Amino acid sequence: MKTKRIKLPHGIPGYNLGEIEREVPSTEPPALAVNDKLKVIGKRIKRTDALAKVNGSAVFTADVHLPGMLYGRMLRSDIPHARIKSIDVSAAREYPGVFAVHIFDRRYEGANPKKNSSDSEFPDVIYAGQPIAGVAAVNPDVAQEAVSLIKVEYEPMDFVVTMDEARKPGAPLVYQTDVDQEASDGGEEIEEGLKSKGNVRGPSTKSFYGGPRGDLEKGFAEADVIVERTYRTQVQTHCPLETHGVVVDYNHGNVTIYASTQSTKNTRNEFARTFDLPKSRVRVISEFIGGGFGAKHTLGSFGVMAGYLSKKSGRPVKIMLDRKEDHISAGNRPNSLQIIKVGAKKDGTLTALKQLSYGTAGIGLGAGVGNIAQAMYACPNFKTEQYDVFTNTGPGAAFRAPGNVQGAFALEQLIDELAERLDMDPLKLRDKIDRSVIRKVEREHGTKILNWQKPKKPGSDPGPVKKGIGVAQAHWPRFVNLDSSVEVRVMRDGAVEVRSAVQDIGTGTKTTLAQVVAEELGLRAEDVTVLIGDTLFPIGPSSGGSVVTGSITPPARNAAYKIKTKLTDIAAEELNTDANNILLENGYFMLTDEPSKKISFKELAAKMRVEQITATASRSDDYGGFMLGTIGFEELGSVQFAEVSVDTETGFVKVDKVLAVHSCGRPINIAQIESQINGGVIMGIAYALYEDRVMDKNTGHQMNANLDQYKMPFSFEIPDIQIELIEEYGAISSTDATGIGEPANIATAAAVANAVYNAIGVRITEIPITPARILAALNKEKKVNNE
Amino acid sequence: MKNKKSKTEKTGNISRRGFLKGAGIAAAGTVIVGSGILISKPHSHEKDEKFVPGTISINMKVNGKIREMNIEPRTTLADALRSELHLTGTKVGCNRGACSACTVWIDGIPTLSCMTLAVEVGDREVTTIEGLAKDDRLHPVQEAFIEHDATQCGFCTPGMIMTAAHLLARNPSPTEDDVKKATSGNFCRCGTHPKVFAATLDAAHKA
């Protein structure tokens, strides 16, 4: 490969900004200046699709209506564990208004194998809510009525829905054999080939960056202080406001699918594989997606069902899950039980860190929490043992920084406690043990903004309502997906179009692409039309793991650069000069040395030999290579501070303020980044204080599969959120941008928990931190003090 | 734990609105229901796609126009707007009045359209997000939502805007607490609230 050497901005403005020379492919565009010198990138550009969102014209999958379309509903088992002896769908099939009925011959969710018992033609039911059969009818009500006519003869089996019960010897087995599962694009960790003992699979001793290191025993022997704690986190469900759903038009094998998905690519590929079709015969369209948060990476069992129903009926079939189905079957963040032990020298230097964790992703895998403990702090001796525990509950799914949110809750409280034991400021301790430059800068910013002092003595406020402050940090790897391609087109009227299969789940990908292309072509963002979320266009990454911006903006810029090169050649001819002497700025091609000699972008486009010129580019490797696989160097680090008030009489916790100090490489759209950070913080507060999937041990059903009893944050739960965004140039790609979705959500719960401790002087090691837990902890403390 | 369920199960639930089906108002002829609306004769029970059990024809004033539609008595206002009139700007997030995504105005009052039967509307006027802009001029709240980046995925946005716009109609200079009170039933999973508050307060100066 031909290469060239270019100098790129490197470092943090106002701190250590400089330049670094990198060897890059010769086809790469020149280095992009820092944001201060740019016109469109790094600005608060309005979302290109905002108008459609505010006037009701945005068409989500839930809104798709095709001629002749039918509505599908699924029969879900209300028994958590059973063998199916027979299924009678005759009454459903004959019900007026019904066009097709389909029975699943295997599961399409959870771990492999997808069929448990050998003597039944149907897969065993392994959780309450597992889809068994489906009906397509003229409207959803008729479909639901027909579903209620399906008769299933079950042979119920013992079941277990809580992790603690499932771990006990002799607990009912969810799977009879060792199982495996492919990880999604959401960033959850699943180690292949591990054995199960009972319902417990593992241990996995690996995380993204490898396995254990050093010698734990030696490390603990060297320690002056050792702190060990057990932490518990709950199951959290994703609850995207638009539930999961698809419209499948099978059309004799020329399939069109409208999907509320985080991955047009995966939806297409899974459908093609399931129905044995070439990928070229399956088109997936996702123009607007009503949130995903990690749960919408796959086709889903409903997608498969809609496919069969459409194939059988010869009509398009729409299946939108209802809210209950979304809770019980469409994904969740696994819970965790973490026993974590740290050893340190008197000066704070960590000598050993040991983590043992259990988590249940229901009938699925991916409950590991080890990454953040492994990666965030310098500790020569480290080991993690992570176990997946199967329960008869709905399958987990990647959920906004999978593993790291649970892991941070434990690790960051432990570090806080260690600081107290060492009589150190928690920020000073982190200065000692955290090698990350970006987090150091973030801590400095936070310290300055809050006029941070060493936290007061925990629980020392007079009166019943006590205030507290806490801090916690986040780590997330810089994942890159090289399967990221973009096409840029210019038409003779000067119109510019960007095309990619990548989807915008609300993060603002459309606008980000418009900005990057506009910057390169000397235009305004509104001059660029972005058509994405369609597999007819070049392949794009899944929206997960904070990978999109870092993966898709470089090829967007590179494709625009190719177009610019072609147009510059035409401009040079028109202006009688050399291509090197042409500048493209503010909608004009002009002579570098004589700017008054110019031709507008539009006029120039009219001179193109053909109606349309087009260029496509794919993501190049990171400049300077990858640290590991497709994980970049450095990280997405952040530091969040929380201020809380705790009413020690009612146990009520109120978050008063959160200061979120973040970095995401080169920021592309400040407003959209802020919005995502707001969202991550609010979701983190909800995780810390409210959300909790409650399972009934006796029936195996979720008790709060709705949006009223599943406690969510509403307007009065929203604190004052202050955001500090640090620009950081890593010289890793032609845009040097990265994502923000996951890091925004990692540190919040731990920061809130540390603030609660600072307020009341008692550690709450289990979330959600409900009033009942606060009061119980205070009472226990009182009892201990009295004795 | 033992499962005590009987071996043969008839599964599935009857919709909570199922009670209205078969309640008799879909019988042939014209019926006047409580809200004063005239229900004309039902459509014939043809097989195939025209088959919808017990449909009735009603007129409803939506966004300034009288619209005729064929619905079942159990059809919610949200479903009628979305499926019959293809006004899909009104969203359904929970279908039980817990998220306010389905908020529309009935005679100017914010109402949960998923908890309202279409036949209940009667001769009152429904305004949806599609009807908020006047003569192609966006409502100031819509403008402010664009300006302040008060949308992320956009699914809660129509309900949020209908709520916020109503607040400004009855209180032209609200405090942030007023905005929080007004939007306290509107669920947003993306966590766009801070910008919704800012946008609404900003729109108040321009409304």
Side-chain angles (χ1 to χ4, degrees):
Chain A
M1 188 174 54
K2 270 175 79 178
T3 60
K4 62 183 178 188
R5 299 191 74 84
I6 57 173
K7 278 189 179 159
L8 297 126
H10 188 259
I12 300 163
Y15 190 77
N16 63 356
L17 182 65
E19 272 193 331
I20 193 169
E21 195 176 86
R22 299 261 204 229
E23 189 172 356
V24 303
S26 57
T27 49
E28 288 291 311
L32 196 57
V34 295
N35 277 0
D36 256 3
K37 295 180 179 157
L38 302 181
K39 295 201 160 67
V40 193
I41 290 178
K43 308 294 176 277
R44 293 173 179 275
I45 303 291
K46 291 176 201 163
R47 284 181 201 244
T48 58
D49 57 2
L51 177 64
K53 284 173 180 169
V54 303
N55 72 11
S57 64
V59 176
F60 295 76
T61 300
D63 306 328
V64 170
H65 183 87
L66 302 178
M69 187 176 82
L70 303 174
Y71 296 83
R73 293 288 301 159
M74 293 196 281
L75 169 67
R76 294 179 179 274
S77 169
D78 59 1
I79 294 184
H81 197 188
R83 199 157 289 146
I84 296 176
K85 292 170 81 175
S86 69
I87 301 176
D88 178 3
V89 295
S90 54
R93 196 167 270 143
E94 282 154 29
Y95 194 69
V98 169
F99 279 72
V101 178
H102 183 75
I103 301 171
F104 276 141
D105 62 353
R106 49 164 283 198
R107 273 183 291 106
Y108 287 91
E109 47 197 13
N112 295 317
K114 302 288 191 191
K115 231 173 147 170
N116 293 36
S117 74
S118 49
D119 58 346
S120 173
E121 58 180 303
F122 311 109
D124 287 355
V125 169
I126 53 175
Y127 76 95
Q130 181 177 314
I132 294 171
V135 170
V138 289
N139 72 35
D141 292 326
V142 173
Q144 188 61 49
E145 284 158 11
V147 159
S148 71
L149 299 174
I150 298 174
K151 291 190 181 72
V152 180
E153 200 182 353
Y154 296 102
E155 191 182 307
M157 295 191 268
D158 293 348
F159 62 89
V160 59
V161 294
T162 67
M163 184 170 79
D164 292 354
E165 296 284 334
R167 283 175 58 204
K168 287 180 183 162
L173 290 181
V174 177
Y175 291 101
Q176 318 295 326
T177 57
D178 289 332
V179 300
D180 253 303
Q181 185 181 326
E182 204 181 320
S184 79
D185 284 350
E188 75 273 34
E189 299 177 63
I190 298 178
E191 192 178 336
E192 273 176 63
L194 298 179
K195 301 279 175 215
S196 295
K197 201 174 161 197
N199 286 314
V200 182
R201 180 186 187 270
S204 170
T205 55
K206 291 180 188 157
S207 291
F208 293 130
Y209 302 102
R213 55 181 187 255
D215 179 343
L216 269 187
E217 218 165 293
K218 183 170 151 276
F220 282 116
E222 287 167 5
D224 297 318
V225 175
I226 290 174
V227 186
E228 183 173 7
R229 280 274 184 187
T230 300
Y231 301 91
R232 280 178 179 270
T233 65
Q234 77 280 39
V235 174
Q236 179 188 28
T237 56
H238 297 70
C239 300
L241 193 52
E242 181 188 34
T243 56
H244 290 64
V246 291
V247 178
V248 178
D249 185 3
Y250 195 83
N251 190 22
H252 312 286
N254 290 295
V255 184
T256 306
I257 300 174
Y258 297 83
S260 184
T261 183
Q262 293 176 244
S263 179
T264 56
K265 167 184 71 174
N266 290 350
T267 304
R268 178 194 71 182
N269 295 354
E270 283 177 38
F271 195 93
R273 197 168 61 208
T274 307
F275 288 86
D276 198 21
L277 293 166
K279 292 176 185 175
S280 55
R281 291 292 179 92
V282 182
R283 178 185 179 189
V284 176
I285 303 168
S286 300
E287 201 189 350
F288 288 93
I289 297 104
F293 313 108
K296 290 180 178 171
H297 277 292
T298 60
L299 174 62
S301 54
F302 52 91
V304 177
M305 179 57 77
Y308 279 114
L309 293 173
S310 177
K311 189 179 179 183
K312 285 182 173 180
S313 65
R315 305 277 198 112
V317 172
K318 180 188 214 170
I319 296 184
M320 292 304 298
L321 301 191
D322 65 25
R323 181 54 59 192
K324 181 180 176 189
E325 291 177 293
D326 215 76
H327 273 287
I328 64 177
S329 71
N332 55 66
R333 183 191 297 283
N335 67 356
S336 73
L337 164 66
Q338 304 176 54
I339 301 159
I340 178 163
K341 182 176 171 184
V342 65
K345 298 271 199 195
K346 278 192 187 109
D347 67 355
T349 310
L350 301 187
T351 60
L353 184 58
K354 184 185 170 195
Q355 180 191 47
L356 170 66
S357 78
Y358 297 88
T360 182
I363 64 163
L365 288 170
V369 297
N371 174 246
I372 195 164
Q374 183 189 41
M376 194 145 70
Y377 296 118
C379 179
N381 308 301
F382 171 79
K383 192 180 179 192
T384 178
E385 286 187 9
Q386 307 163 71
Y387 294 90
D388 268 290
V389 182
F390 296 109
T391 53
N392 295 109
T393 60
F399 194 158
R400 205 170 192 171
N404 279 31
V405 173
Q406 302 95 299
F409 172 72
L411 178 70
E412 287 299 275
Q413 277 211 81
L414 189 77
I415 295 297
D416 205 57
E417 191 169 347
L418 176 65
E420 192 183 20
R421 289 279 296 278
L422 294 166
D423 196 25
M424 280 178 91
D425 180 317
L427 290 176
K428 291 267 159 44
L429 172 60
R430 287 175 172 92
D431 285 342
K432 178 87 191 169
I433 62 178
D434 185 358
R435 290 163 301 185
S436 158
V437 175
I438 189 66
R439 276 193 301 262
K440 181 170 189 293
V441 174
E442 287 166 348
R443 283 193 301 273
E444 285 174 14
H445 273 247
T447 307
K448 215 181 280 173
I449 291 164
L450 294 175
N451 192 19
W452 174 274
Q453 313 283 331
K454 190 178 171 187
K456 59 167 193 238
K457 190 175 174 298
S460 58
D461 268 8
V465 178
K466 298 178 186 300
K467 290 196 178 288
I469 185 165
V471 63
Q473 304 198 135
H475 156 87
W476 187 253
R478 276 186 179 173
F479 294 109
V480 174
N481 188 333
L482 296 177
D483 258 344
S484 301
S485 305
V486 177
E487 180 188 357
V488 176
R489 300 173 156 197
V490 175
M491 280 149 263
R492 248 191 211 141
D493 67 346
V496 178
E497 198 173 274
V498 182
R499 299 175 154 219
S500 171
V502 69
Q503 54 291 313
D504 185 341
I505 62 167
T507 52
T509 304
K510 287 175 199 150
T511 314
T512 306
L513 287 172
Q515 287 177 262
V516 168
V517 170
E519 185 75 50
E520 192 63 25
L521 296 180
L523 301 171
R524 299 165 307 171
E526 59 263 42
D527 298 328
V528 178
T529 303
V530 179
L531 303 174
I532 61 171
D534 189 333
T535 54
L536 283 191
F537 305 147
I539 202 79
S542 306
S543 297
S546 297
V547 21
V548 172
T549 306
S551 300
I552 202 72
T553 57
R557 181 174 177 230
N558 293 14
Y561 173 68
K562 286 186 194 174
I563 292 281
K564 179 174 160 179
T565 309
K566 289 181 191 181
L567 293 178
T568 302
D569 285 342
I570 305 172
E573 224 169 278
E574 289 296 320
L575 297 171
N576 284 322
T577 184
D578 194 73
N580 294 330
N581 194 27
I582 298 276
L583 190 69
L584 172 54
E585 225 177 60
N586 297 330
Y588 286 91
F589 291 86
M590 59 191 86
L591 265 55
T592 315
D593 51 5
E594 202 183 340
S596 57
K597 270 196 170 170
K598 61 185 180 179
I599 179 168
S600 79
F601 190 91
K602 222 175 156 151
E603 285 170 309
L604 189 89
K607 300 189 184 297
M608 294 185 331
R609 193 175 57 81
V610 288
E611 163 60 32
Q612 163 185 291
I613 62 169
T614 169
T616 303
S618 298
R619 177 66 153 89
S620 319
D621 283 4
D622 267 11
Y623 298 171
F626 292 104
M627 177 172 60
L628 192 73
T630 50
I631 301 179
F633 287 94
E634 305 300 331
E635 61 183 313
L636 290 168
S638 63
V639 181
Q640 293 186 354
F641 301 78
E643 294 175 10
V644 303
S645 305
V646 184
D647 187 327
T648 52
E649 288 176 348
T650 64
F652 187 78
V653 178
K654 184 172 185 300
V655 180
D656 298 315
K657 178 176 177 167
V658 171
L659 169 64
V661 194
H662 282 262
S663 141
C664 55
R666 175 199 298 274
I668 302 282
N669 188 321
I670 307 292
Q672 294 183 160
I673 291 166
E674 283 173 358
S675 290
Q676 277 208 79
I677 294 173
N678 280 335
V681 166
I682 291 166
M683 200 173 259
I685 290 171
Y687 183 61
L689 301 181
Y690 312 123
E691 293 182 49
D692 193 2
R693 184 193 70 179
V694 181
M695 297 300 300
D696 179 4
K697 286 206 273 189
N698 298 313
T699 62
H701 282 251
Q702 182 182 347
M703 303 291 285
N704 55 349
N706 50 52
L707 291 178
D708 34 315
Q709 288 150 315
Y710 184 91
K711 300 309 280 182
M712 281 292 194
F714 283 77
S715 58
F716 280 110
E717 282 74 55
I718 311 303
D720 173 21
I721 301 172
Q722 186 180 349
I723 295 166
E724 271 294 299
L725 191 60
I726 315 272
E727 250 171 76
E728 183 197 16
Y729 297 92
I732 54 172
S733 73
S734 64
T735 64
D736 220 359
T738 54
I740 191 69
E742 331 289 317
N745 187 223
I746 295 172
T748 319
V752 168
N754 286 338
V756 166
Y757 172 71
N758 183 238
I760 63 173
V762 188
R763 286 251 165 229
I764 310 290
T765 54
E766 181 170 5
I767 45 176
I769 304 173
T770 56
R773 286 205 171 111
I774 292 273
L775 294 179
L778 287 170
N779 286 338
K780 199 172 153 200
E781 182 78 358
K782 217 186 285 171
K783 222 167 152 189
V784 171
N785 290 343
N786 289 345
E787 270 162 10
Chain B
M1 260 161 294
K2 296 281 178 201
N3 196 306
K4 302 256 170 22
K5 284 199 178 278
S6 67
K7 287 202 169 185
T8 306
E9 288 275 326
K10 194 185 151 202
T11 36
N13 309 321
I14 291 169
S15 151
R16 70 180 189 282
R17 300 180 201 103
F19 76 95
L20 266 172
K21 189 179 163 273
I25 59 170
T30 299
V31 179
I32 296 173
V33 297
S35 59
I37 188 170
L38 217 57
I39 297 175
S40 62
K41 72 173 169 48
H43 273 229
S44 58
H45 288 198
E46 290 169 67
K47 176 90 177 153
D48 288 351
E49 62 258 57
K50 283 188 183 148
F51 174 83
V52 175
T55 54
I56 52 172
S57 176
I58 63 166
N59 289 335
M60 192 187 289
K61 193 172 183 193
V62 181
N63 299 333
K65 284 189 194 129
I66 304 281
R67 308 287 299 263
E68 190 191 337
M69 56 181 122
N70 299 314
I71 54 156
E72 292 178 75
R74 64 176 163 181
T75 304
T76 62
L77 176 57
D79 284 346
L81 292 169
R82 290 174 49 77
S83 301
E84 297 303 315
L85 303 184
H86 301 298
L87 292 171
T88 54
T90 300
K91 305 299 183 207
V92 176
C94 69
N95 212 21
R96 57 184 264 160
C99 76
S100 300
C102 66
T103 303
V104 299
W105 296 349
I106 299 182
D107 277 354
I109 307 294
T111 306
L112 300 175
S113 62
C114 84
M115 299 294 281
T116 306
L117 294 171
V119 296
E120 276 180 79
V121 175
D123 55 6
R124 293 176 293 168
E125 172 161 17
V126 177
T127 307
T128 70
I129 187 73
E130 290 92 345
L132 198 59
K134 289 281 173 267
D135 307 323
D136 278 347
R137 278 200 48 176
L138 291 179
H139 187 283
V141 170
Q142 290 174 308
E143 293 273 13
F145 267 56
I146 296 176
E147 197 65 42
H148 287 263
D149 198 43
T151 70
Q152 288 189 59
C153 82
F155 207 78
C156 76
T157 308
M160 211 53 111
I161 289 177
M162 294 309 285
T163 304
H166 174 261
L167 168 69
L168 299 193
R170 68 183 159 85
N171 180 359
S173 45
T175 62
E176 182 166 306
D177 216 45
D178 293 333
V179 177
K180 285 189 174 184
K181 218 170 274 173
T183 57
S184 64
N186 289 80
F187 177 56
C188 169
R189 186 50 152 170
C190 299
T192 314
H193 313 72
K195 294 194 171 182
V196 167
F197 305 154
T200 307
L201 289 171
D202 189 30
H205 303 298
K206 294 167 187 165

